[in-house]
C-alpha cells in the first residue's frame, strides 16, 4: 500500500513538473512581430547602389548626401502622360501625411529621358508637386548605369518629339543607413508609403 502511495505521489509530482514546464514555455513565447511593410521587402536588406548624377538643384545627387533620411527613389520622365505624375502626386500626399516627419524623407526622381530632361526642366516639373523633390539627370551612360544597378528597364517608344518612354515604375525605399529595404509597385496609395516610412523612421 505504501509503495502504491509513493508511486502515485511520484506520478502526481511528475505531472505537476511537466505542467509547470509547459506553462513556462507558453509564457516565454516571443510576442508576434509588428505588422510588416506593405512594400515588397528585401530580406536581408543590402546597401543601396549609390548614384552620381546631376541634381535639379544644381548639385551632385548621391545617396550618401541624404544619409540619415529615408529616401524614396523612383525613375521616370517629365513628359510622362500618366504613371509618373500619378506616382509623384502619391508621394506628395504621403509626405504631407507624415506631418513633422516629412523633413526626414527625401524623394529622388531619376530621369529615363536625358534627351529632354535637363536639370532646369526637372526642377520646374517637380516644383508642381513638392519643392523638396530632387530630380536627377546625366549622360545616357550615367543613367543606364543607375538603372542597371536597380534593375530598372527603359525603352523609347515612337519617333519624333512626342515619343514616350516605357519604364519600370516601382519606388525603392532606402533607410537612413543607406540600405535598400523595399520596393513598392506602382498603384499603391499614399497611406501605404506613410505606413512603411514610419516603420523605417522608428528603427
Amino acid at each position: 500500500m505504501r509503495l502504491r502511495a509513493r508511486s502515485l505521489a511520484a506520478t502526481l509530482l511528475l505531472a505537476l513538473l511537466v505542467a509547470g514546464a509547459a506553462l513556462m514555455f507558453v509564457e516565454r513565447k516571443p510576442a508576434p512581430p509588428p505588422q510588416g511593410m506593405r512594400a515588397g521587402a528585401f530580406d536581408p536588406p543590402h546597401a543601396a547602389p549609390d548614384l552620381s548624377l546631376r541634381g535639379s538643384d544644381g548639385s551632385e545627387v548621391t545617396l550618401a548626401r541624404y544619409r540619415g533620411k529615408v529616401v524614396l527613389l523612383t525613375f521616370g520622365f517629365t513628359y510622362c502622360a500618366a504613371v509618373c505624375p500619378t506616382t509623384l502626386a502619391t508621394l506628395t500626399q504621403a509626405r504631407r501625411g507624415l506631418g513633422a516627419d516629412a523633413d526626414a524623407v527625401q524623394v529622388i526622381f531619376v530621369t529615363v529621358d536625358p534627351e529632354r530632361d535637363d536639370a532646369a526642366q526637372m526642377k520646374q516639373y517637380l516644383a508642381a508637386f513638392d519643392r523638396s523633390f530632387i530630380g536627377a539627370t546625366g549622360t545616357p551612360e550615367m543613367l543606364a548605369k543607375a538603372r542597371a544597378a536597380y534593375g530598372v528597364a527603359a525603352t523609347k517608344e515612337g519617333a519624333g518629339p512626342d515619343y514616350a518612354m516605357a519604364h519600370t515604375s516601382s519606388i525603392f525605399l532606402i533607410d537612413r543607413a543607406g540600405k535598400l529595404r523595399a520596393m513598392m509597385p506602382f498603384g499603391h496609395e499614399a497611406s501605404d508609403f506613410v505606413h512603411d516610412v514610419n516603420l523605417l523612421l522608428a528603427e
Side-chain angles (χ1 to χ4, degrees):
M1 182 68 67
R2 290 181 180 178
L3 183 60
R4 183 178 300 175
R6 289 178 181 175
S7 177
L8 180 59
T11 301
L12 289 172
L13 179 60
L14 179 61
L16 288 172
L17 289 173
V18 170
L23 182 60
M24 290 174 64
F25 176 77
V26 170
E27 290 176 348
R28 291 180 182 180
K29 285 178 65 177
Q35 185 178 0
M37 300 186 75
R38 296 175 185 174
F42 290 96
D43 189 15
H46 57 275
D50 207 351
L51 305 171
S52 181
L53 298 170
R54 294 194 295 270
S56 57
D57 61 349
S59 62
E60 182 183 13
V61 174
T62 66
L63 293 182
R65 172 182 168 188
Y66 299 107
R67 198 75 79 239
K69 292 188 175 186
V70 171
V71 173
L72 302 178
L73 174 67
T74 187
F75 293 74
F77 64 114
T78 65
Y79 288 79
C80 182
V83 172
C84 303
T86 298
T87 296
L88 292 170
T90 299
L91 295 180
T92 299
Q93 293 172 12
R95 196 169 183 278
R96 290 173 181 167
L98 288 165
D101 289 330
D103 289 340
V105 177
Q106 180 61 55
V107 172
I108 300 178
F109 182 72
V110 181
T111 186
V112 297
D113 184 17
E115 186 176 336
R116 294 180 294 192
D117 287 347
D118 59 17
Q121 168 67 17
M122 298 194 78
K123 181 176 183 179
Q124 181 180 12
Y125 178 75
L126 293 172
F129 297 95
D130 190 309
R131 292 187 179 276
S132 74
F133 290 3
I134 294 292
T137 188
T139 66
E141 293 75 20
M142 293 164 64
L143 293 166
K145 181 179 179 181
R147 291 196 303 271
Y150 284 88
V152 170
T155 306
K156 188 174 183 178
E157 293 185 338
D162 296 326
Y163 66 85
M165 298 293 297
H167 61 89
T168 302
S169 55
S170 298
I171 301 92
F172 299 90
L173 283 72
I174 300 167
D175 68 19
R176 293 189 285 186
K179 290 185 178 180
L180 184 58
R181 299 295 298 274
M183 182 173 67
M184 187 82 80
F186 172 75
H188 278 254
E189 297 180 355
S191 59
D192 291 336
F193 288 95
V194 172
H195 174 273
D196 285 3
V197 168
N198 277 327
L199 288 180
L200 295 179
L201 290 176
E203 294 182 346

